[in-house]
């Protein structure tokens, strides 16, 4: 089980992820509604894993991912985006993302992916 | 291929028999003792180690044959049938599954093979894979673009259900063929389309509830997440049921204790004398 930081600009998605991850026994150590806040919270909380939305208003998920990786090269970040933005996958993977979740998602597969990344 | 052992069904009974998989058709031994040309097969389904073939007879009636055999035999048979049966068929590239339950399948790759649209399902057949998607399990179809070797190419994206999971697959072929295939699939799955009057009934809250159901949330979690009283959530469920967007899987009861129940609990909590 891991300590997880959720970064997503919509309250609905943060709440949904929080519910799914908590049901899988993970601890949600923090939430952030934008990339820059997510980077600061990563520095402060040192979570085991971050779920990172790609499209956010101030700092997008790819920039936030790069910033987190520059703070901690071993950071485990799973990107989370809407259908139709799959072209961001390569960029995210190249930037160090460990996995990619496409919205809408199903709880068991999300928990499986999180488990795989945490166990890696 | 020489004759191979198989079980054949007739009138509800299975008979241990043999089949001969030829280049143009299959010969079924006892109890059928008949030959079926691949061209006469209009539908084909595979469930585990059993296949069902729907065949158009010379008098235009349809006959169903069921065959059970080992994987190796069924793999060869499936390939022969899909490549030659009476179906809309194209050569294309496909990627299946590309996304499973919203999680990207990292080792997914494009496969070159045949795609056949039969009466009840779509088949993808390559050297390595044989995948069937029942049309009734197709959740959505979309013509979209996908990056391949630094080029953005037109693809068909198919979301389908597989054992309760939503799986996304992609088909890639020249645009003109792709458009024909897309129209063909749209037509074959048009029962799934939402009508304007149906869409009018889906407000933001109903859509949020549907999204949470998709994600696997139970009723209690949905009530808590959206801060909805049970009566309101029930009303949303009724809308979703009316639109045939959901099925009832369980009816949960809310109960209160009777006087007998209250006495039982009171007695149970008394310290032992």
């Amino acid at each position: 089980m891991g300590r997880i930081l959720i970064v997503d600009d919509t309250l609905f998605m943060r709440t949904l992820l929080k519910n799914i991850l908590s049901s899988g026994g993970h601890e949600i150590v923090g939430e952030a509604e934008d990339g820059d806040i997510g980077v600061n919270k990563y520095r402060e909380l040192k979570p085991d894993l971050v779920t990172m939305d790609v499209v956010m208003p101030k700092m997008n998920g790819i920039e936030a991912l790069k910033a987190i990786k520059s703070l901690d090269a071993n950071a485990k970040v799973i990107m989370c985006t809407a259908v139709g933005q799959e072209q961001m996958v390569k960029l995210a993977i190249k930037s160090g993302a460990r996995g990619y979740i496409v919205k809408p998602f199903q709880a068991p597969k999300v928990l499986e992916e999180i488990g795989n990344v945490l166990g890696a | 291929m020489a004759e191979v052992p198989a079980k054949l069904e007739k009138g509800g009974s299975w008979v241990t028999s043999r089949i001969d998989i030829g280049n143009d058709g299959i010969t079924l031994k006892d109890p059928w003792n008949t030959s079926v040309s691949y061209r006469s097969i209009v539908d084909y389904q595979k469930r585990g180690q059993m296949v069902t073939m729907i065949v158009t007879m010379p008098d235009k009636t349809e006959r169903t044959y069921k065959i059970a055999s080992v994987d190796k035999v069924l793999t060869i048979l499936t390939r022969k049938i899909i490549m030659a049966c009476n179906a809309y068929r194209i050569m294309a590239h496909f990627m299946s599954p590309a996304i499973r339950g919203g999680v990207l399948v990292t080792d997914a790759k494009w496969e070159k093979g045949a795609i056949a649209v039969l009466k009840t399902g779509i088949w993808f057949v390559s050297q390595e894979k044989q995948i069937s998607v029942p049309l009734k399990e197709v959740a959505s179809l979309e013509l979209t673009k996908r990056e391949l070797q630094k080029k953005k190419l037109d693809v068909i994206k198919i979301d389908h259900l597989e054992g309760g999971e939503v799986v996304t697959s992609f088909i890639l072929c020249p645009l003109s063929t792709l458009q024909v295939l897309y129209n063909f699939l749209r037509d074959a799955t048009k029962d799934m389309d939402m009508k304007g009057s149906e869409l009018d009934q889906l407000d933001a809250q109903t859509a949020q509830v549907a999204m949470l159901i998709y994600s696997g949330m139970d009723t209690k979690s949905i009530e808590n997440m959206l801060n909805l009283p049970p009566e309101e959530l029930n009303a949303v469920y009724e809308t979703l049921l009316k639109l045939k967007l959901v099925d009832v899987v369980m009816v949960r009861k809310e109960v209160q204790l009777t006087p007998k129940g209250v006495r039982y609990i009171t007695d149970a909590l008394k310290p032992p004398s």
Side-chain angles (χ1 to χ4, degrees):
Chain A
M1 299 305 113
R3 299 169 64 252
I4 299 177
L5 169 66
I6 299 171
V7 186
D8 198 303
D9 62 328
T10 62
L11 175 63
F12 179 75
M13 291 313 293
R14 288 202 306 274
T15 313
L16 174 56
L17 274 169
K18 197 160 65 177
N19 267 271
I20 291 174
L21 299 175
S22 302
S23 74
H26 299 290
E27 181 192 354
I28 309 307
V29 292
E31 292 177 43
E33 64 270 27
D34 210 326
D36 53 350
I37 303 169
V39 176
N40 287 335
K41 290 220 169 166
Y42 185 88
R43 194 182 286 124
E44 179 194 330
L45 300 166
K46 298 274 185 295
D48 299 326
L49 186 143
V50 181
T51 66
M52 178 76 73
D53 186 18
V54 172
V55 181
M56 288 180 286
K58 286 189 214 156
M59 179 190 270
N60 72 39
I62 303 286
E63 290 171 56
L65 164 68
K66 286 177 182 168
I68 287 174
K69 292 300 269 191
S70 70
L71 288 174
D72 175 3
N74 296 318
K76 293 176 173 176
V77 181
I78 288 183
M79 305 306 285
C80 190
T81 190
V83 171
Q85 292 166 342
E86 294 96 337
Q87 66 272 25
M88 301 296 280
V89 175
K90 279 185 187 165
L91 188 54
I93 301 289
K94 208 171 138 188
S95 305
R98 295 288 188 93
Y100 216 96
I101 297 170
V102 182
K103 300 171 197 170
F105 41 70
Q106 292 183 293
K109 297 308 290 184
V110 171
L111 288 172
E112 192 182 308
E113 177 75 354
I114 299 268
N116 289 341
V117 172
L118 281 172
Chain B
M1 189 174 181
E3 278 187 13
V4 289
K7 284 189 173 178
L8 303 178
E9 187 264 358
K10 189 173 184 182
S13 303
W14 286 90
V15 176
T16 302
S17 180
R18 299 184 78 77
I19 57 173
D20 187 353
I21 303 171
N23 285 331
D24 302 318
I26 175 174
T27 302
L28 310 175
K29 306 291 182 188
D30 188 53
W32 288 107
N33 295 307
T34 187
S35 291
V36 174
S37 87
Y38 298 135
R39 281 296 302 164
S40 66
I41 298 172
V42 291
D43 201 17
Y44 182 74
Q45 295 156 20
K46 186 168 180 279
R47 297 272 180 281
Q49 290 192 304
M50 186 191 86
V51 298
T52 305
M53 305 185 300
I54 313 284
V55 174
T56 303
M57 305 303 287
D59 63 0
K60 306 290 180 204
T61 58
E62 285 185 350
R63 181 171 286 173
T64 302
Y65 296 104
K66 288 181 181 173
I67 304 168
S69 191
V70 295
D71 283 337
K72 193 179 169 187
V73 170
L74 295 184
T75 300
I76 294 166
L77 179 64
T78 299
R79 184 170 180 78
K80 293 267 188 194
I81 289 177
I82 295 306
M83 297 308 284
C85 68
N86 186 356
Y88 177 76
R89 182 173 35 253
I90 57 167
M91 296 308 287
H93 288 83
F94 65 89
M95 185 191 282
S96 182
I99 302 168
R100 188 181 278 279
V103 176
L104 217 71
V105 178
T106 44
D107 57 353
K109 58 178 184 181
W110 287 104
E111 313 236 6
K112 193 177 179 183
I115 291 170
V117 186
L118 285 87
K119 263 188 170 178
T120 61
I122 310 163
W123 276 88
F124 306 110
V125 174
S126 70
Q127 285 296 342
E128 289 176 25
K129 278 189 180 171
Q130 295 184 343
I131 298 166
S132 79
V133 178
L135 288 174
K136 65 177 187 335
E137 303 289 332
V138 173
S140 76
L141 286 166
E142 189 187 351
L143 261 181
T144 181
K145 288 190 187 292
R146 187 102 180 151
E147 200 174 288
L148 185 69
Q149 291 171 343
K150 295 189 178 169
K151 283 184 208 161
K152 279 195 171 178
L153 300 170
D154 293 282
V155 295
I156 296 175
K157 174 174 166 283
I158 304 176
D159 288 331
H160 50 101
L161 291 169
E162 200 179 282
E165 285 180 353
V166 181
V167 171
T168 301
S169 302
F170 292 101
I171 300 174
L172 170 70
C173 61
L175 185 58
S176 55
T177 318
L178 202 70
Q179 190 71 55
V180 174
L181 177 65
Y182 175 73
N183 291 340
F184 197 90
L185 289 172
R186 285 283 306 181
D187 196 48
T189 57
K190 65 181 174 210
D191 291 350
M192 301 281 184
D193 288 349
M194 297 278 289
K195 297 180 190 79
S197 58
E198 290 179 328
L199 287 169
D200 290 345
Q201 297 174 56
L202 290 170
D203 57 13
Q205 191 177 64
T206 312
Q208 280 188 332
V209 170
M211 164 79 93
L212 293 176
I213 297 168
Y214 181 106
S215 297
M217 298 288 111
D218 62 19
T219 297
K220 206 76 200 160
S221 303
I222 297 173
E223 281 173 10
N224 290 339
M225 273 190 70
L226 300 179
N227 204 14
L228 275 180
E231 300 76 22
E232 270 187 52
L233 183 56
N234 276 343
V236 174
Y237 280 176
E238 285 303 326
T239 304
L240 294 171
L241 279 164
K242 200 171 80 184
L243 295 172
K244 294 192 167 60
L245 298 182
V246 296
D247 286 325
V248 176
V249 288
M250 189 177 75
V251 177
R252 191 184 293 250
K253 288 183 178 169
E254 289 292 336
V255 297
Q256 66 175 20
L257 287 175
T258 60
K260 189 178 176 183
V262 172
R263 181 184 288 190
Y264 163 71
I265 291 299
T266 312
D267 288 349
L269 289 176
K270 278 181 188 162
S273 53

